[in-house]
């Protein structure tokens, strides 16, 4: 497969270009095929062991910037040459130490699973990889993922993330839930606790929570 998609740590979508035989037109067609998934998300193009030239970078950036309802954030790479070309072309590009992403913990066939609806009470969704929910997780609903969980809405139900893994994260725009399970560990919350732009990270046997606002009232 020339291209893969997965969630990012900024509640967005990452399109990974990893095949040396890729070309710009194929990438454009892939993005158009996934336009429903990309709608209203932040988009990053990642070049994994691929080195496009400056003109190619400009053409890709121009195309991504014109995709409807998509916020193009820039590029990511594990190659210094690609980063230098991106900067010369005038576009942001972050270096990624891909060897630190624990590829051995995630099969190459595991891509992000998209749920394009609200998960309602009594429903359960699961995946061996990452899950992105383009809606809410209602009270009484369950989400189970071998990887990370990204919720583009409210989390009021139960999330189990990082099943069988040593690291994972859970993100949501709004959270009011009694508990979240990550990598077999449980984090509980008070009934009235509310979080906005929520991020929970489990790493090195520790749970850390990041949020822009926290309220303890009803």
């Amino acid at each position: 497969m020339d291209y893969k998609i997965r969630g990012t740590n900024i509640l967005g979508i990452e399109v990974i270009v990893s095949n040396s035989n890729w070309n710009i037109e194929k990438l454009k067609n892939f993005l158009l095929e996934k336009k429903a998934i990309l709608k209203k998300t932040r988009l990053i193009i990642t070049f994994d062991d691929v080195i496009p030239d400056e003109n190619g970078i400009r053409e890709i950036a121009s195309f991504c910037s014109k995709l409807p309802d998509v916020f193009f954030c820039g590029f990511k790479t594990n190659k210094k040459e690609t980063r230098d070309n991106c900067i010369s072309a005038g576009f942001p590009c972050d270096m990624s130490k891909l060897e630190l992403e624990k590829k051995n913990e995630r099969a190459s066939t595991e891509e992000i699973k998209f749920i394009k609806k609200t998960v309602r009470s009594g429903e359960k969704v699961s995946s061996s990889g990452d899950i992105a929910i383009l809606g809410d997780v209602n009270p009484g609903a369950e989400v189970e993922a071998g990887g990370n969980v990204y919720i583009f809405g409210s989390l009021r139900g139960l999330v189990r993330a990082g099943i069988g893994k040593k690291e994972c994260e859970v993100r949501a725009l709004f959270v009011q839930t009694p508990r979240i399970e990550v990598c077999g560990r449980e984090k509980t919350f008070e009934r009235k606790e509310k979080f906005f732009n929520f991020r929970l990270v489990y790493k090195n046997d520790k749970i850390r929570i990041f949020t822009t606002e926290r309220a303890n009232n009803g």
Side-chain angles (χ1 to χ4, degrees):
M1 182 179 293
D2 293 343
Y3 313 106
K4 295 193 294 184
I5 54 177
R6 66 183 180 190
T8 75
N9 61 0
I10 57 169
L11 276 176
I13 300 297
E14 181 179 5
V15 173
I16 303 168
V17 182
S18 57
N19 192 317
S20 59
N21 294 322
W22 77 283
N23 64 60
I24 292 175
E25 293 306 314
K26 285 184 179 180
L27 176 57
K28 289 179 180 179
N29 289 335
F30 179 82
L31 294 171
L32 289 175
E33 290 173 2
K34 303 297 182 181
K35 63 182 179 181
I37 292 173
L38 299 175
K39 189 174 181 180
K40 295 183 179 179
T41 65
R42 300 176 179 90
L43 172 63
I44 294 174
I45 304 295
T46 294
F47 294 107
D48 184 358
D49 294 325
V50 172
I51 306 175
D53 60 25
E54 289 184 32
N55 290 333
I57 289 167
R58 290 190 183 95
E59 185 174 347
I60 295 167
S62 176
F63 179 83
C64 291
S65 298
K66 294 175 182 177
L67 289 171
D69 296 320
V70 174
F71 180 70
F72 176 60
C73 296
F75 301 96
K76 190 167 77 171
T77 185
N78 62 339
K79 292 289 186 179
K80 183 179 182 299
E81 297 95 324
T82 300
R83 182 176 184 272
D84 291 344
N85 288 345
C86 287
I87 292 173
S88 296
F91 296 97
C93 184
D94 294 329
M95 291 296 291
S96 172
K97 295 181 180 179
L98 298 179
E99 69 274 10
L100 299 181
E101 293 184 357
K102 295 185 179 295
K103 289 185 177 180
N104 59 315
E105 292 190 357
R106 183 170 304 176
S108 60
T109 56
E110 286 184 358
E111 293 190 20
I112 189 167
K113 179 177 182 178
F114 290 90
I115 309 297
K116 294 183 282 186
K117 67 171 188 174
T118 288
V119 186
R120 304 192 181 281
S121 179
E123 292 185 322
K124 181 177 179 178
V125 297
S126 61
S127 173
S128 60
D130 295 349
I131 294 179
I133 297 174
L134 309 184
D136 299 333
V137 178
N138 285 350
E142 295 185 25
V143 178
E144 291 187 345
N148 306 315
V149 174
Y150 306 94
I151 300 170
F152 294 77
S154 299
L155 167 58
R156 298 178 187 269
L158 173 62
V159 164
R160 297 185 181 94
I163 297 173
K165 304 290 174 64
K166 297 179 181 178
E167 296 181 5
C168 74
E169 69 174 7
V170 176
R171 285 177 170 257
L173 299 182
F174 173 82
V175 169
Q176 187 178 20
T177 183
R179 64 191 177 96
I180 296 174
E181 295 181 18
V182 284
C183 302
R185 292 277 299 276
E186 183 177 88
K187 174 63 178 176
T188 59
F189 302 94
E190 297 295 330
R191 183 173 63 86
K192 293 184 178 181
E193 282 188 297
K194 300 175 183 178
F195 303 88
F196 300 89
N197 294 322
F198 174 92
R199 181 189 180 200
L200 184 153
V201 177
Y202 183 79
K203 188 175 182 179
N204 298 326
D205 296 322
K206 294 181 179 180
I207 293 175
R208 299 177 64 192
I209 291 176
F210 306 87
T211 178
T212 58
E213 186 177 349
R214 177 173 179 164
N216 290 307
N217 53 52

